[in-house]
Amino acid sequence: LQALEECARQEPLSLEQCWHRASLTLELRGQTAAVPLLQEILHTHPQHPAANYFLGQVLLQQGDATGVDHIERAIDHNPE
């Protein structure tokens, strides 16, 4: 995670790197730290299934019903 954060300070990350950074942040630092990173991914890639799913989960846990929209987007755009 530290290496990705350092890289992000120096140059834009690829989508894969952004997702890896967000998922590690969610796992290691928790939801509050991960939300801005998930939102950043969705700003440039609004149909990203995993980012939509995890942001939807966080929002629903916070009592925000807009999380349903993100979960639905994740289901609609899951390549599997």
Side-chain angles (χ1 to χ4, degrees):
L1 179 57
Q2 212 168 17
L4 284 170
E5 289 175 343
E6 180 62 33
C7 188
R9 283 190 281 275
Q10 296 177 14
E11 62 187 43
L13 298 177
S14 69
L15 175 59
E16 183 178 330
Q17 289 172 314
C18 286
W19 167 244
H20 192 60
R21 180 181 176 206
S23 64
L24 285 174
T25 299
L26 183 62
E27 181 180 330
L28 299 173
R29 296 190 179 154
Q31 296 175 348
T32 302
V35 166
L37 301 175
L38 294 169
Q39 291 171 329
E40 183 181 320
I41 292 170
L42 294 174
H43 179 72
T44 56
H45 297 86
Q47 307 308 327
H48 191 279
N52 270 301
Y53 177 77
F54 284 106
L55 182 58
Q57 273 193 323
V58 170
L59 292 173
L60 288 172
Q61 288 175 3
Q62 294 173 346
D64 185 339
T66 63
V68 172
D69 296 333
H70 289 282
I71 299 289
E72 288 176 349
R73 256 186 245 132
I75 293 167
D76 289 344
H77 294 97
N78 190 346
E80 294 177 10

